[in-house]
Amino acid sequence: AEATARVFERKEAQPGESSYTFIESAEERQQQIRSLTLKDAVMSAVLGAFPVPGIAIATDLAVVALQVNLVRDVAAMWGKEIDRKSAKGLLAGFGVGTGARIAVNNVLKIIPGWGSLVGATTSFASTYAVGVVMHKHFSGAARPEDLAKEFEAAQKEGKETYVKVKDEVAEKERETKASIERVNIDLKEGKIAQDEFEDRVSRL
């Protein structure tokens, strides 16, 4: 809970400048948002599957950071600017990034194999749902009071999508596992802070 609070209570005004800008074509914008959503969801699955309970809290927090940045980037593609506080407020509104969710994921990782599978699935589904719901939100297709219900439905879709892209997740895990482990060691030994950990992981 304390670690999660540090993520959600940071004082910076922006979650970093987005590399995306307004996309005028509705079809191209939708394609780009879907592509980015799947990319971030795959990386979230890799981080969510990290098998060491306790230490893996850092990777679960990195999933939250990815989701904050996804909100920022989807907004940018809609021609809107959003600061970290607003992005976190939207996520918190439907329960993303809560200490309880992260704690449950870490407890489940005590169970070899199965716990990591649950962590991968739930992390993928929640990030996928963030992209889907934020696209609807910024398009005006979803009312603020309906976001929680939209998120729940999108998570179910995300779990179904995860089954279809498991091979892609496995390939990404093979590519990044050694790098994540090295960065995790640096974090554990105090060589880097959580912010830098999240930044380095997000670039994998």
Side-chain angles (χ1 to χ4, degrees):
E2 291 174 359
T4 308
R6 286 197 296 273
V7 172
F8 275 75
E9 292 172 4
R10 290 174 189 160
K11 303 301 182 182
E12 67 267 34
Q14 299 289 340
E17 184 178 350
S18 176
S19 59
Y20 295 88
T21 57
F22 174 61
I23 301 174
E24 188 171 354
S25 166
E27 182 178 353
E28 182 183 352
R29 182 172 56 239
Q30 185 171 0
Q31 290 176 349
Q32 287 281 355
I33 290 173
R34 178 165 178 78
S35 176
L36 177 63
T37 296
L38 284 171
K39 173 179 172 290
D40 284 353
V42 167
M43 190 64 207
S44 293
V46 173
L47 294 168
F50 199 81
V52 184
I55 296 174
I57 287 175
T59 52
D60 286 331
L61 291 174
V63 171
V64 178
L66 271 177
Q67 293 169 344
V68 170
N69 289 341
L70 182 56
V71 174
R72 171 204 64 191
D73 292 337
V74 171
M77 283 187 261
W78 274 99
K80 303 177 186 297
E81 292 185 7
I82 186 168
D83 61 24
R84 177 174 287 275
K85 182 178 180 180
S86 299
K88 292 184 297 187
L90 286 168
L91 292 177
F94 39 81
V96 176
T98 62
R101 181 189 296 271
I102 290 173
V104 168
N105 276 353
N106 270 260
V107 169
L108 289 174
K109 287 173 186 177
I110 294 171
I111 306 170
W114 187 78
S116 290
L117 174 62
V118 172
T121 305
T122 57
S123 294
F124 180 97
S126 64
T127 300
Y128 178 93
V130 166
V132 170
V133 172
M134 288 299 96
H135 178 47
K136 289 184 177 181
H137 172 68
F138 292 117
S139 71
R143 299 178 302 175
E145 61 268 28
D146 293 333
L147 291 183
K149 186 185 298 183
E150 293 279 358
F151 181 76
E152 185 176 344
Q155 273 194 304
K156 292 179 181 178
E157 182 183 336
K159 289 177 181 178
E160 295 170 358
T161 303
Y162 174 77
V163 174
K164 300 175 183 177
V165 300
K166 282 195 296 185
D167 290 345
E168 186 177 342
V169 172
E171 178 61 28
K172 188 67 174 179
E173 183 178 13
R174 284 191 291 270
E175 292 176 0
T176 60
K177 183 178 180 181
S179 296
I180 293 172
E181 288 176 345
R182 284 196 299 271
V183 179
N184 231 330
I185 290 171
D186 287 346
L187 178 66
K188 184 181 178 182
E189 293 179 350
K191 296 178 181 178
I192 60 173
Q194 179 70 28
D195 286 5
E196 186 176 349
F197 174 89
E198 292 164 8
D199 179 62
R200 288 168 62 177
V201 166
S202 70
R203 290 186 273 113
L204 292 176

